[in-house]
Amino acid sequence: MNPASSLPPPCDILLFVTTEDEVKAIQLAAQSRGLTFEPRTSSELGDYFDLEQVGRHRVLAVKTRMGAFQYGASTSKAILFERETGAQKLIALGMAFGMSRKVQGFGDVLVSKSIFPYDDREMVDSPTGPAPNYSRTRHRQANAGLIALFEREVKRTSYTFRISFGTLLSGGARVSSQQFRDELFNHAPSGRFPVIGGDMEGVGFLAVAPAERPVWIVVKGISDFGEDPVADTAPSNRATACLNAATLVLSALQNDG
């Protein structure tokens, strides 16, 4: 890392990643487009990556810890960096689990039109034991401008992977159970958009801004299907998922004239 500076520079877009695979994917996608990817350190906020100008956007990337609830995870990092950089939009990218092998494949990219926070639930008694009640849980809409950004990109650019828009289930569980994945899918109330997958980090963005003024979107590639943790998380699947998500994000920003 470069010598520490007091604060990161101002920017309008913050990208958030969690794993080393996701960091490498942004770097590769940036280099393939002739973009800067410079590791830097802030003495106050920690490590980040400076992509400088991407199209008409000033972009920084931030690495968080897995999940949303611990210090250094998506919630705390988003709040700290948004406040200090003045960023107007937040994009989480990386890996997610898909919902159906029948219509989805490894490396397909999921773009959130909304997030359903599945941990926000009431547990009630039922004939078969405790059951989740989601009657008071609300789908949280992503930023309309960012949704439109990616919709424009999909219309003007052809990709080798499929891109789906819809709802992501987001919460604290590391999902390696088909039964749990299907339970989430079956119990979550239908919203405006179909459920296309899930992750652990997107839910952290819900604390960053009011529900009526969201500043975020989640763009992630399918690395697994929330089932067998061995068969579904081969290194090649993770790398492909991360690179495809990073490719879509940086292409959309670079082509946004």
Side-chain angles (χ1 to χ4, degrees):
M1 290 290 176
N2 289 346
S5 58
S6 58
L7 290 172
C11 69
D12 62 301
I13 299 283
L14 281 172
L15 308 180
F16 289 84
V17 294
T18 303
T19 70
E20 289 302 323
D21 285 324
E22 293 165 355
V23 172
K24 184 177 180 180
I26 297 182
Q27 183 177 18
L28 289 173
Q31 290 173 342
S32 70
R33 282 156 183 74
L35 300 173
T36 299
F37 188 82
E38 188 68 34
R40 301 193 185 282
T41 297
S42 163
S43 56
E44 296 187 18
L45 298 180
D47 298 338
Y48 64 97
F49 304 91
D50 194 345
L51 285 79
E52 297 184 356
Q53 204 71 22
V54 183
R56 60 186 180 89
H57 303 282
R58 184 68 172 85
V59 181
L60 301 179
V62 182
K63 189 174 183 294
T64 75
R65 293 183 178 179
M66 184 174 290
F69 307 120
Q70 61 179 321
Y71 184 76
S74 60
T75 303
S76 63
K77 285 281 192 175
I79 291 172
L80 289 171
F81 271 84
E82 182 195 33
R83 181 183 65 197
E84 297 300 341
T85 64
Q88 301 298 305
K89 304 289 174 57
L90 313 179
I91 303 175
L93 64 91
M95 294 179 281
F97 66 83
M99 297 305 299
S100 173
R101 294 175 182 271
K102 294 180 180 179
V103 296
Q104 296 172 313
F106 294 113
D108 289 355
V109 175
L110 312 176
V111 181
S112 69
K113 285 195 169 184
S114 69
I115 280 178
F116 186 77
Y118 65 76
D119 287 322
D120 180 13
R121 58 188 178 180
E122 179 183 12
M123 297 304 297
V124 298
D125 291 330
S126 77
T128 57
N133 177 4
Y134 286 114
S135 62
R136 291 187 288 182
T137 310
R138 299 290 176 261
H139 292 76
R140 296 285 296 272
Q141 307 302 308
N143 180 270
L146 288 172
I147 295 172
L149 169 74
F150 288 103
E151 288 178 334
R152 290 194 299 272
E153 176 61 17
V154 169
K155 289 180 180 178
R156 69 185 164 219
T157 306
S158 296
Y159 290 93
T160 58
F161 48 87
R162 290 171 292 191
I163 301 166
S164 301
F165 291 79
T167 294
L168 290 180
L169 306 173
S170 193
R174 295 177 177 89
V175 181
S176 298
S177 164
Q178 181 179 345
Q179 291 176 322
F180 182 73
R181 182 204 67 191
D182 291 346
E183 176 188 295
L184 290 177
F185 179 79
N186 292 330
H187 282 94
S190 59
R192 294 173 55 195
F193 314 111
V195 174
I196 54 176
D199 83 330
M200 296 177 63
E201 288 74 39
V203 68
F205 284 170
L206 305 188
V208 177
E212 65 274 14
R213 295 196 303 277
V215 296
W216 52 267
I217 198 167
V218 179
V219 181
K220 295 195 171 185
I222 295 177
S223 62
D224 63 89
F225 286 88
E227 299 170 355
D228 187 330
V230 176
D232 265 4
T233 55
S236 60
N237 292 338
R238 293 196 297 268
T240 298
C242 295
L243 183 58
N244 289 353
T247 296
L248 177 60
V249 168
L250 293 186
S251 294
L253 295 176
Q254 196 170 35
N255 293 334
D256 188 37

